[in-house]
Amino acid sequence: MDIESTDYRKEVTQRLQQAGVSPTQQRMEIAQILFARPQHLSAEQVLNIVNAQGPVVSKATVYNTLGLFARKGLVREVIVDPTKVFYDSNTSEHHHFYNVDTGNLTDIEPHSLKLESMPTLPDGTQAEGVDVIIRVRHSS
Amino acid sequence: MDIESTDYRKEVTQRLQQAGVSPTQQRMEIAQILFARPQHLSAEQVLNIVNAQGPVVSKATVYNTLGLFARKGLVREVIVDPTKVFYDSNTSEHHHFYNVDTGNLTDIEPHSLKLESMPTLPDGTQAEGVDVIIRVRHSS
DNA sequence: GTCAGTGCAAACCCTTTGCAGAAAG
DNA sequence: CTTTCTGCAAAGGGTTTGCACTGAC
């Protein structure tokens, strides 16, 4: 998973193309960071990482790109904090702990939490996703 | 539950006092709306309702009061939409459907959804709350 | 040349804050 | 009186938008 490797770049390129997103330079920069491993990053964090060694992608493009990736299913928006959105590069079904003290978001092991049943949805609607957030704070 | 009745006002007054919130005029206006029935209102909606027949409470006071009520456990913040916070006057444990098309928030019958088990929390943390959001949209 | 993509700065919108005046006890 | 609340307007902060420029085909 070397972020520099040619193989990894090819893999990321394919992933974008499969989602119907043309792999421009800036999108590749952002995608390579996100897809390097499953992680939760805010737009600001992505902006900082991608521009760590000099300006590469503008703020507007980071926001636009993350929004695009989310619409295309490449990342998942996690809404736990009214002040910012997190983007999760793990799109498989799983849930989250949110540390309200630190703002840290971590995965819940998929097998350690199950919903007992799916309730009847409101009339005329279909489920789009289920989010479970367990809010935690430093004990005592 | 007549919002005008003296009994209801007394009840609301007591509820505020029990939570350690002094029942000022503006807080009473807001509390009476919220506690009339279990409901989900954004700050803006509260502002509109409370000031429907003439200005009664300022925007700043609505935000401050809702934040205070939330800290005191009188209402529960529901974070489902990055653009606004909902305040739920039903503080008993329950979960929500969120209609992403309409922005409508509705309760899930408490008995129709159960978590199978509580996963192990991250080290040094204690649970503060569990939120389950089922996002739905108009079918077909 | 055309059109999608990008960058910058300004605009947006919900929310918070600073501070002076008003109300509560 | 003293302290807490409230209101106003301004500031804040994440996100979006308008528009001109760039670059890929």
PDB file of all heavy atoms in Angstrom, chain A residues 62-91:
ATOM      1  N   VAL A  62     -11.161  20.569  -2.850  1.00  0.00           N
ATOM      2  CA  VAL A  62     -11.272  19.513  -1.841  1.00  0.00           C
ATOM      3  C   VAL A  62     -12.733  19.289  -1.480  1.00  0.00           C
ATOM      4  O   VAL A  62     -13.228  18.157  -1.485  1.00  0.00           O
ATOM      5  CB  VAL A  62     -10.452  19.845  -0.573  1.00  0.00           C
ATOM      6  CG1 VAL A  62     -10.807  18.896   0.567  1.00  0.00           C
ATOM      7  CG2 VAL A  62      -8.962  19.772  -0.878  1.00  0.00           C
ATOM      8  N   TYR A  63     -13.447  20.365  -1.193  1.00  0.00           N
ATOM      9  CA  TYR A  63     -14.866  20.225  -0.842  1.00  0.00           C
ATOM     10  C   TYR A  63     -15.663  19.644  -2.003  1.00  0.00           C
ATOM     11  O   TYR A  63     -16.470  18.736  -1.817  1.00  0.00           O
ATOM     12  CB  TYR A  63     -15.449  21.581  -0.421  1.00  0.00           C
ATOM     13  CG  TYR A  63     -15.147  21.912   1.019  1.00  0.00           C
ATOM     14  CD1 TYR A  63     -14.085  22.739   1.361  1.00  0.00           C
ATOM     15  CD2 TYR A  63     -15.911  21.365   2.044  1.00  0.00           C
ATOM     16  CE1 TYR A  63     -13.802  23.037   2.690  1.00  0.00           C
ATOM     17  CE2 TYR A  63     -15.640  21.648   3.364  1.00  0.00           C
ATOM     18  CZ  TYR A  63     -14.593  22.487   3.688  1.00  0.00           C
ATOM     19  OH  TYR A  63     -14.309  22.763   4.984  1.00  0.00           O
ATOM     20  N   ASN A  64     -15.444  20.173  -3.188  1.00  0.00           N
ATOM     21  CA  ASN A  64     -16.186  19.662  -4.345  1.00  0.00           C
ATOM     22  C   ASN A  64     -15.890  18.187  -4.587  1.00  0.00           C
ATOM     23  O   ASN A  64     -16.790  17.405  -4.892  1.00  0.00           O
ATOM     24  CB  ASN A  64     -15.840  20.477  -5.597  1.00  0.00           C
ATOM     25  CG  ASN A  64     -16.399  21.889  -5.525  1.00  0.00           C
ATOM     26  OD1 ASN A  64     -17.353  22.145  -4.789  1.00  0.00           O
ATOM     27  ND2 ASN A  64     -15.794  22.804  -6.261  1.00  0.00           N
ATOM     28  N   THR A  65     -14.633  17.826  -4.451  1.00  0.00           N
ATOM     29  CA  THR A  65     -14.222  16.456  -4.724  1.00  0.00           C
ATOM     30  C   THR A  65     -14.776  15.490  -3.687  1.00  0.00           C
ATOM     31  O   THR A  65     -15.286  14.420  -4.035  1.00  0.00           O
ATOM     32  CB  THR A  65     -12.685  16.373  -4.761  1.00  0.00           C
ATOM     33  OG1 THR A  65     -12.216  17.237  -5.790  1.00  0.00           O
ATOM     34  CG2 THR A  65     -12.229  14.954  -5.033  1.00  0.00           C
ATOM     35  N   LEU A  66     -14.726  15.880  -2.430  1.00  0.00           N
ATOM     36  CA  LEU A  66     -15.265  15.001  -1.395  1.00  0.00           C
ATOM     37  C   LEU A  66     -16.768  14.823  -1.583  1.00  0.00           C
ATOM     38  O   LEU A  66     -17.296  13.711  -1.453  1.00  0.00           O
ATOM     39  CB  LEU A  66     -14.955  15.557  -0.006  1.00  0.00           C
ATOM     40  CG  LEU A  66     -13.485  15.475   0.405  1.00  0.00           C
ATOM     41  CD1 LEU A  66     -13.232  16.221   1.709  1.00  0.00           C
ATOM     42  CD2 LEU A  66     -13.033  14.025   0.529  1.00  0.00           C
ATOM     43  N   GLY A  67     -17.441  15.899  -1.937  1.00  0.00           N
ATOM     44  CA  GLY A  67     -18.879  15.802  -2.201  1.00  0.00           C
ATOM     45  C   GLY A  67     -19.159  14.880  -3.381  1.00  0.00           C
ATOM     46  O   GLY A  67     -20.077  14.058  -3.335  1.00  0.00           O
ATOM     47  N   LEU A  68     -18.343  15.019  -4.415  1.00  0.00           N
ATOM     48  CA  LEU A  68     -18.486  14.160  -5.597  1.00  0.00           C
ATOM     49  C   LEU A  68     -18.245  12.700  -5.245  1.00  0.00           C
ATOM     50  O   LEU A  68     -19.037  11.820  -5.591  1.00  0.00           O
ATOM     51  CB  LEU A  68     -17.482  14.614  -6.667  1.00  0.00           C
ATOM     52  CG  LEU A  68     -17.402  13.768  -7.932  1.00  0.00           C
ATOM     53  CD1 LEU A  68     -18.688  13.865  -8.737  1.00  0.00           C
ATOM     54  CD2 LEU A  68     -16.202  14.188  -8.787  1.00  0.00           C
ATOM     55  N   PHE A  69     -17.163  12.447  -4.531  1.00  0.00           N
ATOM     56  CA  PHE A  69     -16.852  11.065  -4.113  1.00  0.00           C
ATOM     57  C   PHE A  69     -18.003  10.472  -3.305  1.00  0.00           C
ATOM     58  O   PHE A  69     -18.350   9.300  -3.467  1.00  0.00           O
ATOM     59  CB  PHE A  69     -15.563  11.033  -3.275  1.00  0.00           C
ATOM     60  CG  PHE A  69     -14.292  11.180  -4.070  1.00  0.00           C
ATOM     61  CD1 PHE A  69     -14.322  11.463  -5.437  1.00  0.00           C
ATOM     62  CD2 PHE A  69     -13.048  11.034  -3.450  1.00  0.00           C
ATOM     63  CE1 PHE A  69     -13.142  11.603  -6.161  1.00  0.00           C
ATOM     64  CE2 PHE A  69     -11.872  11.169  -4.175  1.00  0.00           C
ATOM     65  CZ  PHE A  69     -11.916  11.456  -5.520  1.00  0.00           C
ATOM     66  N   ALA A  70     -18.579  11.284  -2.445  1.00  0.00           N
ATOM     67  CA  ALA A  70     -19.680  10.785  -1.610  1.00  0.00           C
ATOM     68  C   ALA A  70     -20.888  10.433  -2.482  1.00  0.00           C
ATOM     69  O   ALA A  70     -21.501   9.378  -2.306  1.00  0.00           O
ATOM     70  CB  ALA A  70     -20.061  11.821  -0.559  1.00  0.00           C
ATOM     71  N   ARG A  71     -21.200  11.297  -3.435  1.00  0.00           N
ATOM     72  CA  ARG A  71     -22.346  11.019  -4.319  1.00  0.00           C
ATOM     73  C   ARG A  71     -22.114   9.774  -5.157  1.00  0.00           C
ATOM     74  O   ARG A  71     -23.042   9.045  -5.487  1.00  0.00           O
ATOM     75  CB  ARG A  71     -22.605  12.216  -5.258  1.00  0.00           C
ATOM     76  CG  ARG A  71     -23.361  13.370  -4.623  1.00  0.00           C
ATOM     77  CD  ARG A  71     -23.902  14.321  -5.683  1.00  0.00           C
ATOM     78  NE  ARG A  71     -22.877  14.829  -6.591  1.00  0.00           N
ATOM     79  CZ  ARG A  71     -21.997  15.771  -6.291  1.00  0.00           C
ATOM     80  NH1 ARG A  71     -21.989  16.316  -5.090  1.00  0.00           N
ATOM     81  NH2 ARG A  71     -21.099  16.176  -7.167  1.00  0.00           N
ATOM     82  N   LYS A  72     -20.863   9.535  -5.509  1.00  0.00           N
ATOM     83  CA  LYS A  72     -20.536   8.390  -6.353  1.00  0.00           C
ATOM     84  C   LYS A  72     -20.306   7.117  -5.552  1.00  0.00           C
ATOM     85  O   LYS A  72     -19.977   6.071  -6.118  1.00  0.00           O
ATOM     86  CB  LYS A  72     -19.278   8.708  -7.169  1.00  0.00           C
ATOM     87  CG  LYS A  72     -19.452   9.855  -8.158  1.00  0.00           C
ATOM     88  CD  LYS A  72     -20.475   9.525  -9.235  1.00  0.00           C
ATOM     89  CE  LYS A  72     -20.502  10.613 -10.308  1.00  0.00           C
ATOM     90  NZ  LYS A  72     -21.412  10.255 -11.422  1.00  0.00           N
ATOM     91  N   GLY A  73     -20.416   7.230  -4.244  1.00  0.00           N
ATOM     92  CA  GLY A  73     -20.282   6.032  -3.416  1.00  0.00           C
ATOM     93  C   GLY A  73     -18.846   5.627  -3.122  1.00  0.00           C
ATOM     94  O   GLY A  73     -18.599   4.517  -2.653  1.00  0.00           O
ATOM     95  N   LEU A  74     -17.904   6.498  -3.407  1.00  0.00           N
ATOM     96  CA  LEU A  74     -16.499   6.158  -3.147  1.00  0.00           C
ATOM     97  C   LEU A  74     -16.134   6.341  -1.680  1.00  0.00           C
ATOM     98  O   LEU A  74     -15.206   5.706  -1.177  1.00  0.00           O
ATOM     99  CB  LEU A  74     -15.581   7.033  -4.017  1.00  0.00           C
ATOM    100  CG  LEU A  74     -15.592   6.704  -5.504  1.00  0.00           C
ATOM    101  CD1 LEU A  74     -14.983   7.834  -6.310  1.00  0.00           C
ATOM    102  CD2 LEU A  74     -14.820   5.410  -5.755  1.00  0.00           C
ATOM    103  N   VAL A  75     -16.823   7.249  -1.026  1.00  0.00           N
ATOM    104  CA  VAL A  75     -16.636   7.438   0.413  1.00  0.00           C
ATOM    105  C   VAL A  75     -18.005   7.625   1.034  1.00  0.00           C
ATOM    106  O   VAL A  75     -18.998   7.844   0.334  1.00  0.00           O
ATOM    107  CB  VAL A  75     -15.772   8.684   0.743  1.00  0.00           C
ATOM    108  CG1 VAL A  75     -14.368   8.528   0.204  1.00  0.00           C
ATOM    109  CG2 VAL A  75     -16.424   9.952   0.211  1.00  0.00           C
ATOM    110  N   ARG A  76     -18.025   7.562   2.326  1.00  0.00           N
ATOM    111  CA  ARG A  76     -19.298   7.705   3.029  1.00  0.00           C
ATOM    112  C   ARG A  76     -19.212   8.894   3.962  1.00  0.00           C
ATOM    113  O   ARG A  76     -18.222   9.057   4.677  1.00  0.00           O
ATOM    114  CB  ARG A  76     -19.526   6.426   3.828  1.00  0.00           C
ATOM    115  CG  ARG A  76     -20.802   6.408   4.613  1.00  0.00           C
ATOM    116  CD  ARG A  76     -20.979   5.017   5.200  1.00  0.00           C
ATOM    117  NE  ARG A  76     -21.770   5.062   6.411  1.00  0.00           N
ATOM    118  CZ  ARG A  76     -21.779   4.100   7.323  1.00  0.00           C
ATOM    119  NH1 ARG A  76     -21.011   3.036   7.154  1.00  0.00           N
ATOM    120  NH2 ARG A  76     -22.534   4.193   8.394  1.00  0.00           N
ATOM    121  N   GLU A  77     -20.218   9.739   3.919  1.00  0.00           N
ATOM    122  CA  GLU A  77     -20.255  10.864   4.844  1.00  0.00           C
ATOM    123  C   GLU A  77     -20.707  10.374   6.203  1.00  0.00           C
ATOM    124  O   GLU A  77     -21.672   9.630   6.307  1.00  0.00           O
ATOM    125  CB  GLU A  77     -21.250  11.927   4.357  1.00  0.00           C
ATOM    126  CG  GLU A  77     -20.760  12.715   3.172  1.00  0.00           C
ATOM    127  CD  GLU A  77     -21.738  13.818   2.778  1.00  0.00           C
ATOM    128  OE1 GLU A  77     -22.933  13.689   3.093  1.00  0.00           O
ATOM    129  OE2 GLU A  77     -21.306  14.796   2.146  1.00  0.00           O
ATOM    130  N   VAL A  78     -20.020  10.803   7.224  1.00  0.00           N
ATOM    131  CA  VAL A  78     -20.420  10.453   8.583  1.00  0.00           C
ATOM    132  C   VAL A  78     -20.758  11.744   9.305  1.00  0.00           C
ATOM    133  O   VAL A  78     -19.910  12.626   9.453  1.00  0.00           O
ATOM    134  CB  VAL A  78     -19.305   9.705   9.329  1.00  0.00           C
ATOM    135  CG1 VAL A  78     -19.790   9.275  10.707  1.00  0.00           C
ATOM    136  CG2 VAL A  78     -18.838   8.505   8.532  1.00  0.00           C
ATOM    137  N   ILE A  79     -21.999  11.846   9.729  1.00  0.00           N
ATOM    138  CA  ILE A  79     -22.475  13.075  10.352  1.00  0.00           C
ATOM    139  C   ILE A  79     -22.652  12.830  11.834  1.00  0.00           C
ATOM    140  O   ILE A  79     -23.590  12.181  12.263  1.00  0.00           O
ATOM    141  CB  ILE A  79     -23.797  13.520   9.703  1.00  0.00           C
ATOM    142  CG1 ILE A  79     -23.536  13.809   8.224  1.00  0.00           C
ATOM    143  CG2 ILE A  79     -24.363  14.744  10.403  1.00  0.00           C
ATOM    144  CD1 ILE A  79     -24.768  13.811   7.375  1.00  0.00           C
ATOM    145  N   VAL A  80     -21.700  13.309  12.602  1.00  0.00           N
ATOM    146  CA  VAL A  80     -21.735  13.094  14.046  1.00  0.00           C
ATOM    147  C   VAL A  80     -21.543  14.390  14.801  1.00  0.00           C
ATOM    148  O   VAL A  80     -21.809  14.473  15.982  1.00  0.00           O
ATOM    149  CB  VAL A  80     -20.622  12.144  14.518  1.00  0.00           C
ATOM    150  CG1 VAL A  80     -20.954  10.724  14.144  1.00  0.00           C
ATOM    151  CG2 VAL A  80     -19.263  12.557  13.974  1.00  0.00           C
ATOM    152  N   ASP A  81     -21.060  15.381  14.109  1.00  0.00           N
ATOM    153  CA  ASP A  81     -20.687  16.634  14.736  1.00  0.00           C
ATOM    154  C   ASP A  81     -21.283  17.747  13.890  1.00  0.00           C
ATOM    155  O   ASP A  81     -21.032  17.812  12.689  1.00  0.00           O
ATOM    156  CB  ASP A  81     -19.147  16.720  14.722  1.00  0.00           C
ATOM    157  CG  ASP A  81     -18.642  17.976  15.381  1.00  0.00           C
ATOM    158  OD1 ASP A  81     -19.349  18.995  15.371  1.00  0.00           O
ATOM    159  OD2 ASP A  81     -17.511  17.957  15.891  1.00  0.00           O
ATOM    160  N   PRO A  82     -22.085  18.596  14.509  1.00  0.00           N
ATOM    161  CA  PRO A  82     -22.734  19.627  13.696  1.00  0.00           C
ATOM    162  C   PRO A  82     -21.745  20.595  13.061  1.00  0.00           C
ATOM    163  O   PRO A  82     -22.103  21.311  12.143  1.00  0.00           O
ATOM    164  CB  PRO A  82     -23.645  20.356  14.693  1.00  0.00           C
ATOM    165  CG  PRO A  82     -23.222  19.945  16.043  1.00  0.00           C
ATOM    166  CD  PRO A  82     -22.480  18.660  15.919  1.00  0.00           C
ATOM    167  N   THR A  83     -20.508  20.591  13.512  1.00  0.00           N
ATOM    168  CA  THR A  83     -19.567  21.575  12.985  1.00  0.00           C
ATOM    169  C   THR A  83     -18.742  21.056  11.826  1.00  0.00           C
ATOM    170  O   THR A  83     -18.036  21.817  11.177  1.00  0.00           O
ATOM    171  CB  THR A  83     -18.611  22.096  14.072  1.00  0.00           C
ATOM    172  OG1 THR A  83     -17.661  21.075  14.396  1.00  0.00           O
ATOM    173  CG2 THR A  83     -19.377  22.489  15.322  1.00  0.00           C
ATOM    174  N   LYS A  84     -18.764  19.756  11.581  1.00  0.00           N
ATOM    175  CA  LYS A  84     -18.041  19.269  10.404  1.00  0.00           C
ATOM    176  C   LYS A  84     -18.452  17.863  10.003  1.00  0.00           C
ATOM    177  O   LYS A  84     -18.947  17.095  10.812  1.00  0.00           O
ATOM    178  CB  LYS A  84     -16.531  19.313  10.635  1.00  0.00           C
ATOM    179  CG  LYS A  84     -16.071  18.476  11.792  1.00  0.00           C
ATOM    180  CD  LYS A  84     -14.543  18.465  11.841  1.00  0.00           C
ATOM    181  CE  LYS A  84     -14.024  18.274  13.241  1.00  0.00           C
ATOM    182  NZ  LYS A  84     -13.287  19.324  13.824  1.00  0.00           N
ATOM    183  N   VAL A  85     -18.229  17.577   8.743  1.00  0.00           N
ATOM    184  CA  VAL A  85     -18.576  16.280   8.197  1.00  0.00           C
ATOM    185  C   VAL A  85     -17.310  15.452   8.091  1.00  0.00           C
ATOM    186  O   VAL A  85     -16.256  15.971   7.719  1.00  0.00           O
ATOM    187  CB  VAL A  85     -19.203  16.447   6.793  1.00  0.00           C
ATOM    188  CG1 VAL A  85     -19.482  15.097   6.159  1.00  0.00           C
ATOM    189  CG2 VAL A  85     -20.470  17.280   6.862  1.00  0.00           C
ATOM    190  N   PHE A  86     -17.398  14.176   8.433  1.00  0.00           N
ATOM    191  CA  PHE A  86     -16.273  13.275   8.228  1.00  0.00           C
ATOM    192  C   PHE A  86     -16.521  12.425   6.994  1.00  0.00           C
ATOM    193  O   PHE A  86     -17.665  12.083   6.687  1.00  0.00           O
ATOM    194  CB  PHE A  86     -16.089  12.357   9.441  1.00  0.00           C
ATOM    195  CG  PHE A  86     -15.478  13.047  10.623  1.00  0.00           C
ATOM    196  CD1 PHE A  86     -16.268  13.595  11.621  1.00  0.00           C
ATOM    197  CD2 PHE A  86     -14.104  13.162  10.726  1.00  0.00           C
ATOM    198  CE1 PHE A  86     -15.703  14.246  12.712  1.00  0.00           C
ATOM    199  CE2 PHE A  86     -13.524  13.808  11.814  1.00  0.00           C
ATOM    200  CZ  PHE A  86     -14.323  14.348  12.803  1.00  0.00           C
ATOM    201  N   TYR A  87     -15.438  12.097   6.317  1.00  0.00           N
ATOM    202  CA  TYR A  87     -15.534  11.221   5.159  1.00  0.00           C
ATOM    203  C   TYR A  87     -14.813   9.929   5.474  1.00  0.00           C
ATOM    204  O   TYR A  87     -13.644   9.944   5.859  1.00  0.00           O
ATOM    205  CB  TYR A  87     -14.934  11.906   3.926  1.00  0.00           C
ATOM    206  CG  TYR A  87     -15.772  13.089   3.504  1.00  0.00           C
ATOM    207  CD1 TYR A  87     -15.549  14.353   4.036  1.00  0.00           C
ATOM    208  CD2 TYR A  87     -16.830  12.922   2.616  1.00  0.00           C
ATOM    209  CE1 TYR A  87     -16.341  15.436   3.674  1.00  0.00           C
ATOM    210  CE2 TYR A  87     -17.634  13.994   2.249  1.00  0.00           C
ATOM    211  CZ  TYR A  87     -17.384  15.248   2.789  1.00  0.00           C
ATOM    212  OH  TYR A  87     -18.173  16.303   2.440  1.00  0.00           O
ATOM    213  N   ASP A  88     -15.528   8.840   5.292  1.00  0.00           N
ATOM    214  CA  ASP A  88     -15.035   7.526   5.671  1.00  0.00           C
ATOM    215  C   ASP A  88     -14.697   6.751   4.405  1.00  0.00           C
ATOM    216  O   ASP A  88     -15.564   6.520   3.568  1.00  0.00           O
ATOM    217  CB  ASP A  88     -16.129   6.808   6.459  1.00  0.00           C
ATOM    218  CG  ASP A  88     -15.644   5.511   7.077  1.00  0.00           C
ATOM    219  OD1 ASP A  88     -14.571   5.028   6.670  1.00  0.00           O
ATOM    220  OD2 ASP A  88     -16.348   4.991   7.961  1.00  0.00           O
ATOM    221  N   SER A  89     -13.432   6.355   4.293  1.00  0.00           N
ATOM    222  CA  SER A  89     -13.035   5.642   3.076  1.00  0.00           C
ATOM    223  C   SER A  89     -13.380   4.164   3.139  1.00  0.00           C
ATOM    224  O   SER A  89     -13.144   3.433   2.196  1.00  0.00           O
ATOM    225  CB  SER A  89     -11.536   5.831   2.818  1.00  0.00           C
ATOM    226  OG  SER A  89     -10.778   5.401   3.922  1.00  0.00           O
ATOM    227  N   ASN A  90     -13.930   3.746   4.254  1.00  0.00           N
ATOM    228  CA  ASN A  90     -14.447   2.384   4.345  1.00  0.00           C
ATOM    229  C   ASN A  90     -15.941   2.433   4.043  1.00  0.00           C
ATOM    230  O   ASN A  90     -16.732   2.889   4.855  1.00  0.00           O
ATOM    231  CB  ASN A  90     -14.194   1.836   5.751  1.00  0.00           C
ATOM    232  CG  ASN A  90     -14.809   0.452   5.940  1.00  0.00           C
ATOM    233  OD1 ASN A  90     -15.387  -0.116   5.017  1.00  0.00           O
ATOM    234  ND2 ASN A  90     -14.662  -0.076   7.139  1.00  0.00           N
ATOM    235  N   THR A  91     -16.301   1.934   2.856  1.00  0.00           N
ATOM    236  CA  THR A  91     -17.705   2.043   2.449  1.00  0.00           C
ATOM    237  C   THR A  91     -18.516   0.799   2.798  1.00  0.00           C
ATOM    238  O   THR A  91     -19.710   0.751   2.537  1.00  0.00           O
ATOM    239  CB  THR A  91     -17.830   2.313   0.936  1.00  0.00           C
ATOM    240  OG1 THR A  91     -17.094   1.309   0.240  1.00  0.00           O
ATOM    241  CG2 THR A  91     -17.287   3.672   0.583  1.00  0.00           C
TER     242      THR A  91
END
